[in-house]
């Protein structure tokens, strides 16, 4: 009977130790998961910031392309006007030369 009581007592002590070890393991796992969640949140925030920044850069780039296209179109239009003016100037110069030759 004494041996059985000792065995039961020892089993009870081992059970307490196992429960203590499980509790400590669970606490460590909970802390680890909490730290992972914090890191995940930080990474998610960084990714969102980078996505927002990328979208802003794409928007800015699109705006710049539009501005460049408008500027190029204006420049082409100005070149056309200048070419017409040069033709008119040559025509006036030729008429002026012809008038001078007649005099």
């Amino acid at each position: 009977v004494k041996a059985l009581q000792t065995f039961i007592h020892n089993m009870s002590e081992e059970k307490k130790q196992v429960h203590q070890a499980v509790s400590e393991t669970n606490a460590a796992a909970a802390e680890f998961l909490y730290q992972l969640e914090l890191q995940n949140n930080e990474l998610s925030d960084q990714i969102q910031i980078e996505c927002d920044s990328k979208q802003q850069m794409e928007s800015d780039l699109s705006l710049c392309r539009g501005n460049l296209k408008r500027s190029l179109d204006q420049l082409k239009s100005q070149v056309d006007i200048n070419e017409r003016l040069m033709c008119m100037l040559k025509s006036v110069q030729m008429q002026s030369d012809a008038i001078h030759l007649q005099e």
Side-chain angles (χ1 to χ4, degrees), residues 40-87:
N40 184 48
N41 290 341
E42 288 176 16
L43 288 173
S44 293
D45 290 346
Q46 288 176 357
I47 289 169
Q48 186 60 50
I49 289 168
E50 289 176 14
C51 285
D52 291 347
S53 177
K54 181 182 177 194
Q55 288 174 345
Q56 184 62 48
M57 285 190 292
E58 287 173 350
S59 176
D60 292 347
L61 183 58
S62 178
L63 186 62
C64 285
R65 284 181 179 144
N67 289 341
L68 283 172
K69 183 173 179 355
R70 278 189 295 283
S71 294
L72 183 59
D73 290 344
Q74 289 173 346
L75 194 57
K76 286 178 181 178
S77 177
Q78 189 62 48
V79 166
D80 289 343
I81 292 168
N82 288 350
E83 286 176 352
R84 280 187 250 131
L85 288 173
M86 287 298 291
C87 287

Side-chain angles (χ1 to χ4, degrees), residues 9-22:
H9 175 74
N10 288 342
M11 291 301 282
S12 177
E13 286 300 314
E14 283 183 34
K15 183 178 175 183
K16 287 179 187 176
Q17 290 174 355
V18 167
H19 279 289
Q20 180 65 30
V22 167

